[in-house]
Amino acid sequence: MSFESAVSFFIAVLIFSVTPGPGIFAILARALTKGAGQCVMLSLGMSVSDVFYLVAACFGLATIAQHWGELFTIIRFVGAAYLIYLGYKMWTAPVDLNGLSAKDSKKGHVMSFVQGFLISASNPKVILFYIAFLPTFMDLTVLNAQDIVLASVLTLVGLMIGLMVIAIFASQARRWFQSQSAMQKLNRSAGSIMVGAGAFLATRS
């Protein structure tokens, strides 16, 4: 991959990272209720999952998606159900005007990472995107390990930047809600967004 191709690839990934979808909805909901800091591991989980899809695309594993369509369908519905569950938890969550509580721990960070990974992994169309996307920037017939590593790093960094920019903007909007009533409405709005993300993911064909 040439320098020009690498720069173009990075910009394209950055744009792709802020494209509306279940992942963006999840980031918005988390940032609105918990702040941008709680979106780091969630974003990392999504980004790592996308990198797995990218590597799979590099090795031409589109056939897996075609031959294991039923498995991907199950994964999609499990991911959708999980998003709806998270939305319900946000809707019924008690109001916390002090932001994050002392209960947030390493276990919470791990769970956020897993949530992000599952949200992105639940959308097998991502691999099809990368399969169509990669030939624009690299010749897959002469692909080597260095190209794959570079593309993976650029994808990880680009996605993290895009997702965290979204999280920061949403977190700033959260500062406008300081009363208990306003925070309750915010929690329910964020929960509705998450449920909508789950419904959106479940109904995609």
Side-chain angles (χ1 to χ4, degrees), residues 9 19 22 48 70 130 155 167 202:
F9 178 79
T19 302
V48 170
E70 292 182 359
Y130 283 121
T155 298

Side-chain angles (χ1 to χ4, degrees), residues 33-54:
T33 56
K34 295 292 186 179
Q38 287 297 298
C39 293
V40 175
M41 294 305 293
L42 185 68
S43 299
L44 183 61
M46 294 180 192
S47 301
V48 170
S49 180
D50 267 42
V51 168
F52 274 109
Y53 275 132
L54 169 72

